[in-house]
Structure formats: structure tokens, C-alpha cells
Amino acid sequence: MSIIKILIYNVNVCMQQMLVSRICCTQSVRNPILSFPWVYSMFEFLCPVCSSLARWVRSDRHMSTLILLLCGMLLSCVTWQMMVWQMEFYHRTEFDWVAQTRNRVFQKGVSSAIDIIKTVGVILEEEDHDETNEFLHLSHHFLSDNPWLASLTWWQESGTVATVGQEDIDLQNSPLVQEGLARARTTQQMAINSISRESGGEYRLKSFIFLPVYKDHPLADNHAVRNLIGFVIGGIDVSRLANTSIGILEPRGVEFLLLDETLSTQSQFLEFYGSRLSPEHHLKITPSNWSSWLQQQKRIATERFPVADRIWSITCAATPYFRSAEGFPDAPFVVLITGLLLTLILTVLFYRTRNSLIERTQLYDELSRSEETLRVFFEQCPDIVLIVDRESVIRAVNRDLPLTKVLDTDGSPLVQGKCFLNFLPADLRNTYQTVVDTVLRTGQSCQFSHQTGKLIWWEIRIAPIHRKTGLIEAMVLFTNISEKRFVELKALRNARLASMGALAAGIAHEINNPNNAILFNASILRRSWQDALPVLQEHHQVAADFALGGVSFDRAVEAIPRLISGIASSSERIKKIVENVKQLARDDPGTMEHFINVEEVICTALTILEHQTIRYTDHLSTTVDTSNTADGLLLVYGNFQQLEQVVINLVINALQSLPDRSRSVSVTACCLDGMVQITVEDEGCGIDTKHQPFVFDPFFTTRMSSGGTGLGLSLAQEIVTNHKGNIHVRSKPGDGTIMIIMLPMDTKQEGRPSRSQHLPT
């Protein structure tokens, strides 16, 4: 920042000195730089600007604004320059493409004309007699396909001349033609001469290519002598070919110069095309001024190629009116102006915002330093009393608040001068602020209740405090009403359970009606199958194999009884699940007249949860230890469906607690001191210590956002209790959870099944 200050100061001094020299000195000793009027006007404008800038940056508070302004201007200028360079690169690339395209077309036209002349010469060389007729036949065909090939002439050594095409030059009397013929005869190679003239006010260039044609005459000693029999002369309308090559693209502002570099500088000029987009396109480039035109061009592209015994060059030059592909050529300038305007706007906004923040900070500091209020303590008051202002800043408090236990905050002690909102839970801040605003606006007291944690309730009363300066403060009282609220919640929970029982009864009624129909129809279907089976078997013996429902009879005989039994058993399961739901609302423990095999309960529950298991873990183990039993069975007296629901709830909770699929869940059962112990252990995230006392409370859940209802463990505890057992939890956050169920083992012998018997479910 010091360097920037020094730089601005020195620039300001230099400008002032130069301005003084402009005003005070005579014309003879005046600074030569200031002799230009526009330079002097610029200095007259910049001097007051630099003076103001120098005074402005003397304060450090404006230095950041100045740096922002300079950085924005620098970035805008750099962006502008980069866009200019990029557009120049694109212009050059596109110009090279246009020039190369036109040059290639022109070269191809000349090459095709030369190839035609060579083809005619080869054919005439191979013709044994009547070369003239063959020449005339070929020439008409070639001239129709190549419009820039104006004429073809067969000049025989005997003096006979045959011409096809329009030729406005007397070939026999033209010195350039005679010179070309002589050069071709001497070198025995193709030669070219060009003739330029004005026709109809336009400069036209025509080139003649002379191809000597030889024919071998055999001698007596098996040798041959090559004799010149004539010349094929092709007239190329170069001006027409140049216009054709230029016309393949729309006007782009490119000029075209054709030179014969084999000749001297004064004789090299052949053809020139001026762009129609340039206002100077009517100016003619002649053999006398083409070199000066070439020196004035800033962007050119030159290509050289051989034509017969000469070397021609094509030079394309871009005029100031060259058309490129960009749609907005002034984009760099617009970007520069836009960048400077945005920089100015951002600088002004930054300056005003920064000044506003500085003023607010200073005002807050002044108020904090000048604020002195007498703190009143009410030690004997059982309530927590605070005095806050309109900004919720604590002016006084009667005791330290146990925030970590009461208000779920970070435990920082309340001190005078701090905002009370920062110490309130997030869900209490809006309500508190709304009530405080209402009290300070109306002058009337208000109160409301708020719950923190599971069993702590506070009654918050806010009353206005009237002072001489007006109503600017309020008194906030916190009263612990947890015991009172606990009694109210207990009554509310009982009413909620009763309502849920009524709802379950209604649902059960709606489900039982179609389910009873399924049970009834399943029994009829079973009897119908038993009656129809003998008939079908008799038909099977007569008609061999046939299909029932798309399945062969042999397979249907085995499958249909299983299907009917599956329908009946599933319907029975629906009926018992509905009874379990209704169990929440009544004291009746349900029907428990069957011996329940715990091993079968676990297997059935895990079968139902097979999809959930695959979703959450790759490691699920089951262990049933019957070594401490006499008959190898873990039997309890109870209800199969209810115990199955308990296992399902516990396993689902264990699966949902796993952080990833590599963690495991294990279900074990054994006999311990005359009790059947069922253990569900997981390697999940565990249960927080503060939540463990409430896990069996109805409607308590830590997964409310993911669809938890808080009824799973509550229902499990109720079922276990009805089976005269108990359930408890052991968990440590991060180390998993162990749920242990203890059920009394049934030791009665009457009606006791053996291990080989199928136990009812």
C-alpha cells in the first residue's frame, strides 16, 4: 500500500510541474510534450483527478477500495487485449483459409488446362494420319468442359493451322506467339507466353501454352528419328479463371495479384483483382505500380507454382474491409467498456458498504463502552430472571444459567452484554423473539412453554419494564414445570394409545372381511381339488400327459396342493398380524396355547427379513444352542406370531443401525438357568447414553426423519412382558448394541412335541 501511495503522489507532483511549465514558461522553453493541444487537455483533466486521488489515499480506509478499482481496471484491460489478440489470430487463420482456397482453385484450373493440352499432344503424336480431323474432334469436347480454355490450335510444321474456339489474336503475326514457338522448338519442352490487353474497358490477360509434338520415324537399321510435326497451342483466359476462383466464395474483402516471377520485375505483372468490398476497388493496379501496392499490404499470403517453363505466384492481400466469421467485431471494445463500468459500480458499492460497516461497528462499540447497568440479583427467587433489551442483549441476570443441561447450548456462561438469542436452542429463538417483540410493542405480558430434552419443560413469562426513557426492556422468567408437564403427558399418552387401539380395531375389521373370504375360499378350493383329483388322474391315464394352467399334469399334482396350503397359511398369518396390532389397545395377552419352538421363530423371522438383510449387510449369523436341553428343543409357551414380531423388530433395528455392509448382525438363542435367552447383537453405531432410558417408551424414536414411529421396541417389550419374560438393552455409542430377551422355558410334559414333530405356527 505504501508503494501505491508513493506512486500516486509522484505522478501528481509530475503532472502539476508539467502543467505549471505549460502556463508559466514562454513558448521557446515550453515542454515539447505539452506542445500538442490534446496532450495539454489530457493533463488539465488528469491533474485534479490525481490530486483528489492523492488526498483520498492518505487514509488507509480507502486503500482497499483503490486496490479493488485498480485490479478491476487491470483485469478489464487484460481481457480486452486478450480478445483483440484472439480475434487477430482468428482473422489471420480465416484469411489464410480464404487465400488458400482461391489459390488452389486457380492452380487447379491452370493445371487442368495444361493437362488438356498435353492430352491432345499425346493423341496427335499417336495418330498416323488425318491429325487435323482428330484434333478438331477432341478440341470441341475439351473446350465445352473448360470455359477458361478459350482456344486450341494445331500448328503443323507444314504451315497448316487449325483453330477451335474464339481467338481474337492473329497467331501467325503475333511476335509473342512466334517467340513462344521458337522457345518451345529450342527447348523441346512446353513454353508459355502471356498477352495483356484492354477489352471493353477491362484489363484482360490471356496466356498461350506451346506444346511441341514429335513423332518417331523408323529407319532401316531398326532405329527411329523423332521429327517435329507441329505445336498444340492452348489459349487460357487467365482473367476469367481468376474471376472463377474468386467467385467460389462470397465477397470477403481479399485482393488477388498474379505475377510471373521468371521475368524481370517490370514484366512480372500478369493479373490483379480488386475486392468489391473496398471503396478503392475501381483503382487499377498496373505493371508500373503493383510493387508499391504490394509493399503497402499488412496481411498477405503468397503461393508459387510452375506453369510450363515459367514460375507464377499468387498473392492474396486482406483489405481493411476483410470479412471474418465473427458476428460482432467490436466485442473487445464492448467488453472493455462493460468491464470498466462494472468495476466502477462494484467499487462504489464496496466503498459504500465498507463505510456502512465501519460506521455500524463504531456505533456498536460506542454503545457497548457507554452501557453501564446495575445488575439485580434475586438469589431467593426460585425462578431464573433476566432483563433484556430490544436487541435481546442481557442487561441483568439473577444467577448463572445451567445452559448445557437446561437449554442444550455449548455451556458458555451467561454474562452481561451478550445476546441472549445466542444461548437459546434454534427451535426456541424465533418464538422467543416474536413474543419479546409483541411485549415491547404492546406493553402487555405474555407467556409460553418450551421443552428441552426429553423430560424438562419450562414456562417462559415475559413482562415489559417501563422506564422514564420509555419501554425498551423486558423481564424474562424461566420456571421449571417438568413435574407438572410429566403428569399431563402421561395422561395424553394413555389417551393416544386408546385412540390408536380404536384405529387398529377399525383397520383390523376392514382387513378381516376379505381375509375371511380368502380362508373360506381356500377351504372350498382344497376340497374341490380333492374331489377333482381322481377324475383328472383317470383322464391322465387315458389322454396321457396334458396341461393344467400351462403346467404339466404331473407337476400340477404336486404344486397345486402346496399353492392352496400357502394361500391358507398366508391368510392365517394376516389374521394373526392384525390381532397383534389390536393387542396394543387391550390388556388381553392374546391366545397362547401352543408350544413355540424359538429356533423356528428365529428362522421364520429371518426368512421374512431376507430382503432387508441383503440390503444392509453381508454378514448375518444365526446360532441356536440346545445342548442344555433334554430333548434338543428350546420351547416356550406363548404365541408364535407375537414372538416372531419381536425378533423382526429387533433385527430391523440392528440392520438399520449399521453404517456399512461390512458390519455384522448376529442372532443367538440358548438355554440359561431354565430360561430361554434370545440375543440380537449388531456392530452398528450404538445408542446414545442419554437416550437409553427412553428406548422402550411409546413414540420415542431417533429416526423420525427416516420414517421411525417409536413403536417397535415398545411393542416388543409389551409382548415379552405378556410372555412373562423381560427385555433389556446394553449399548455403547460407536460399539454396537445388544438386545437380550429372557423367556421362561416350558418344562411341562403333557402335549410336549418331539423334535421330529412339526410344531404349529
Side-chain angles (χ1 to χ4, degrees):
M1 292 186 180
S2 300
I3 296 176
I4 297 177
K5 289 183 179 180
I6 295 173
L7 180 61
I8 295 176
Y9 176 77
N10 292 334
V11 171
N12 181 39
V13 172
C14 292
M15 286 188 175
Q16 289 180 353
Q17 290 178 353
M18 296 179 72
L19 190 61
V20 170
S21 66
R22 167 76 179 180
I23 298 174
C24 300
C25 297
T26 61
Q27 185 70 25
S28 60
V29 297
R30 195 173 285 168
N31 192 326
I33 298 178
L34 297 176
S35 60
F36 298 98
W38 66 272
V39 176
Y40 175 69
S41 301
M42 182 183 67
F43 272 95
E44 282 186 329
F45 171 75
L46 291 179
C47 278
V49 174
C50 289
S51 299
S52 301
L53 194 60
R55 291 192 303 270
W56 193 49
V57 300
R58 289 174 186 172
S59 175
D60 290 336
R61 63 181 296 181
H62 302 305
M63 185 56 63
S64 58
T65 306
L66 177 61
I67 292 176
L68 176 63
L69 177 62
L70 295 178
C71 290
M73 295 175 63
L74 177 61
L75 183 60
S76 300
C77 294
V78 169
T79 305
W80 167 76
Q81 186 61 50
M82 290 180 66
M83 291 188 66
V84 170
W85 289 341
Q86 189 74 8
M87 293 188 68
E88 289 179 354
F89 172 76
Y90 288 152
H91 287 184
R92 179 64 188 180
T93 303
E94 190 169 0
F95 167 73
D96 292 341
W97 175 80
V98 173
Q100 187 179 33
T101 302
R102 292 177 173 175
N103 293 350
R104 291 290 183 271
V105 173
F106 183 83
Q107 294 180 31
K108 185 176 180 181
V110 174
S111 299
S112 64
I114 293 175
D115 292 340
I116 292 173
I117 295 171
K118 289 181 179 179
T119 302
V120 174
V122 171
I123 295 174
L124 294 177
E125 183 178 346
E126 299 294 333
E127 188 70 25
D128 294 335
H129 61 278
D130 199 9
E131 294 92 347
T132 302
N133 291 333
E134 184 67 20
F135 168 78
L136 295 175
H137 174 72
L138 293 173
S139 299
H140 285 291
H141 173 71
F142 287 133
L143 291 180
S144 62
D145 293 339
N146 298 272
W148 55 84
L149 187 59
S151 64
L152 284 173
T153 302
W154 171 232
W155 188 307
Q156 302 183 34
E157 281 294 294
S158 61
T160 303
V161 178
T163 301
V164 177
Q166 296 181 358
E167 189 57 72
D168 51 0
I169 296 177
D170 188 359
L171 299 180
Q172 297 180 352
N173 298 323
S174 173
L176 289 176
V177 174
Q178 297 301 325
E179 190 271 336
L181 290 172
R183 194 168 72 251
R185 182 181 291 108
T186 301
T187 60
Q188 296 184 2
Q189 294 180 353
M190 187 181 296
I192 184 172
N193 267 349
S194 300
I195 300 176
S196 60
R197 58 189 177 80
E198 289 191 6
S199 176
E202 295 183 357
Y203 181 83
R204 308 290 296 182
L205 175 66
K206 195 168 187 178
S207 295
F208 292 94
I209 297 178
F210 307 92
L211 175 66
V213 180
Y214 292 87
K215 182 173 291 188
D216 295 336
H217 292 278
L219 299 178
D221 55 355
N222 294 329
H223 290 81
V225 176
R226 289 176 57 83
N227 294 329
L228 180 66
I229 64 173
F231 296 89
V232 177
I233 304 174
I236 302 176
D237 191 347
V238 179
S239 298
R240 185 172 184 178
L241 177 58
N243 289 330
T244 301
S245 64
I246 292 170
I248 63 172
L249 298 175
E250 62 180 4
R252 303 296 291 271
V254 176
E255 296 179 330
F256 183 101
L257 176 63
L258 181 64
L259 299 178
D260 186 351
E261 296 189 354
T262 311
L263 304 178
S264 61
T265 304
Q266 296 297 328
S267 304
Q268 289 182 0
F269 179 82
L270 295 178
E271 176 66 292
F272 177 81
Y273 167 79
S275 173
R276 289 172 292 173
L277 298 180
S278 175
E280 297 84 8
H281 74 278
H282 61 280
L283 299 179
K284 296 183 178 180
I285 303 300
T286 63
S288 59
N289 63 1
W290 68 268
S291 58
S292 60
W293 172 86
L294 188 61
Q295 294 175 357
Q296 295 174 0
Q297 304 307 311
K298 296 181 179 179
R299 184 182 299 171
I300 61 175
T302 303
E303 289 191 17
R304 296 172 177 81
F305 60 98
V307 180
D309 59 344
R310 301 291 178 87
I311 300 297
W312 284 11
S313 66
I314 302 176
T315 301
C316 292
T319 66
Y321 303 94
F322 172 71
R323 287 182 178 178
S324 59
E326 78 275 358
F328 192 27
D330 296 330
F333 179 74
V334 173
V335 170
L336 176 62
I337 298 301
T338 304
L340 294 177
L341 290 176
L342 289 177
T343 300
L344 180 60
I345 293 173
L346 290 176
T347 303
V348 172
L349 292 177
F350 176 80
Y351 176 74
R352 296 185 61 180
T353 303
R354 189 172 184 275
N355 283 347
S356 177
L357 291 176
I358 292 175
E359 292 175 359
R360 290 188 179 185
T361 303
Q362 292 176 349
L363 179 60
Y364 179 78
D365 293 340
E366 292 176 0
L367 291 176
S368 298
R369 286 191 298 266
S370 63
E371 182 179 317
E372 294 180 359
T373 306
L374 178 62
R375 226 178 250 216
V376 180
F377 293 92
F378 306 100
E379 296 292 346
Q380 66 278 18
C381 181
D383 298 333
I384 300 174
V385 182
L386 302 95
I387 298 178
V388 298
D389 58 12
R390 291 183 179 274
E391 289 76 24
S392 295
V393 176
I394 300 176
R395 298 294 185 87
V397 61
N398 69 330
R399 66 179 65 181
D400 292 335
L401 296 178
L403 298 180
T404 56
K405 298 181 180 179
V406 177
L407 299 178
D408 290 339
T409 60
D410 58 357
S412 303
L414 278 176
V415 295
Q416 183 177 348
K418 290 192 176 182
C419 182
F420 185 53
L421 290 175
N422 297 332
F423 302 97
L424 292 176
D427 55 347
L428 178 59
R429 293 173 187 172
N430 293 335
T431 304
Y432 167 81
Q433 189 62 53
T434 302
V435 175
V436 169
D437 293 342
T438 303
V439 169
L440 295 177
R441 185 179 66 255
T442 61
Q444 301 294 326
S445 300
C446 293
Q447 67 179 24
F448 61 95
S449 300
H450 180 75
Q451 181 183 10
T452 58
K454 181 67 178 177
L455 300 174
I456 300 178
W457 284 83
W458 295 88
E459 183 180 66
I460 304 172
R461 291 172 291 173
I462 303 177
I465 298 178
H466 297 274
R467 297 182 183 270
K468 294 181 179 179
T469 56
L471 184 60
I472 60 174
E473 294 175 336
M475 180 181 295
V476 183
L477 293 90
F478 287 84
T479 304
N480 192 331
I481 59 171
S482 301
E483 185 176 354
K484 176 183 176 182
R485 181 64 66 174
F486 180 75
V487 176
E488 295 175 354
L489 285 178
K490 188 173 182 180
L492 180 62
R493 184 182 296 112
N494 293 334
R496 188 174 183 181
L497 288 174
S499 299
M500 187 172 182
L503 178 62
I507 295 175
H509 177 73
E510 295 298 328
I511 295 177
N512 280 332
N513 288 336
N515 191 55
N516 291 333
I518 294 174
L519 281 173
F520 178 78
N521 294 336
S523 63
I524 295 176
L525 184 61
R526 181 184 291 109
R527 293 194 301 270
S528 299
W529 170 253
Q530 292 174 354
D531 295 339
L533 182 58
V535 178
L536 294 174
Q537 289 176 343
E538 182 180 352
H539 179 69
H540 176 64
Q541 294 176 357
V542 176
D545 194 12
F546 62 92
L548 289 178
V551 182
S552 65
F553 176 75
D554 293 333
R555 295 182 59 186
V557 169
E558 298 177 358
I560 291 178
R562 290 200 306 269
L563 296 176
I564 297 174
S565 298
I567 294 173
S569 61
S570 298
S571 181
E572 289 289 345
R573 176 172 174 78
I574 294 173
K575 181 178 180 181
K576 292 182 179 181
I577 290 175
V578 170
E579 291 178 357
N580 289 340
V581 175
K582 295 168 61 178
Q583 190 66 26
L584 280 173
R586 63 190 182 192
D587 296 332
D588 184 9
T591 303
M592 293 185 291
E593 61 271 9
H594 298 290
F595 289 99
I596 303 301
N597 188 344
V598 173
E599 180 179 0
E600 189 175 353
V601 170
I602 295 175
C603 292
T604 305
L606 295 183
T607 301
I608 296 173
L609 296 176
E610 183 178 0
H611 176 72
Q612 296 287 338
T613 303
I614 296 174
R615 177 182 176 186
Y616 287 101
T617 183
D618 295 328
H619 307 283
L620 176 65
S621 61
T622 305
T623 304
V624 178
D625 183 9
T626 61
S627 59
N628 293 334
T629 61
D631 53 0
L633 294 175
L634 295 177
L635 299 180
V636 295
Y637 195 81
N639 184 284
F640 184 96
Q641 299 294 340
Q642 292 182 5
L643 293 179
E644 181 187 61
Q645 188 64 46
V646 172
V647 176
I648 289 175
N649 291 348
L650 298 183
V651 174
I652 287 178
N653 289 344
L655 292 173
Q656 293 178 350
S657 69
L658 299 181
D660 54 73
R661 298 180 58 85
S662 64
R663 304 298 181 90
S664 65
V665 174
S666 64
V667 182
T668 61
C670 64
C671 179
L672 184 64
D673 297 332
M675 300 287 288
V676 175
Q677 176 177 295
I678 303 174
T679 304
V680 179
E681 182 177 3
D682 64 77
E683 296 179 352
C685 57
I687 304 174
D688 197 319
T689 305
K690 65 180 181 180
H691 293 153
Q692 291 184 18
F694 315 111
V695 294
F696 296 107
D697 288 351
F699 310 108
F700 175 83
T701 179
T702 58
R703 292 195 296 268
M704 183 68 70
S705 59
S706 60
T709 61
L711 294 175
L713 292 180
S714 175
L715 179 61
Q717 185 185 45
E718 183 177 357
I719 293 174
V720 172
T721 302
N722 291 338
H723 283 72
K724 304 186 184 307
N726 59 77
I727 180 173
H728 59 277
V729 58
R730 289 188 302 191
S731 179
K732 186 176 181 181
D735 292 336
T737 302
I738 302 176
M739 302 296 296
I740 301 175
I741 301 174
M742 302 297 295
L743 297 173
M745 189 170 183
D746 186 23
T747 59
K748 294 182 180 180
Q749 298 300 321
E750 183 179 357
R752 186 179 185 87
S754 63
R755 185 169 182 82
S756 60
Q757 290 179 329
H758 175 71
L759 299 179
T761 59

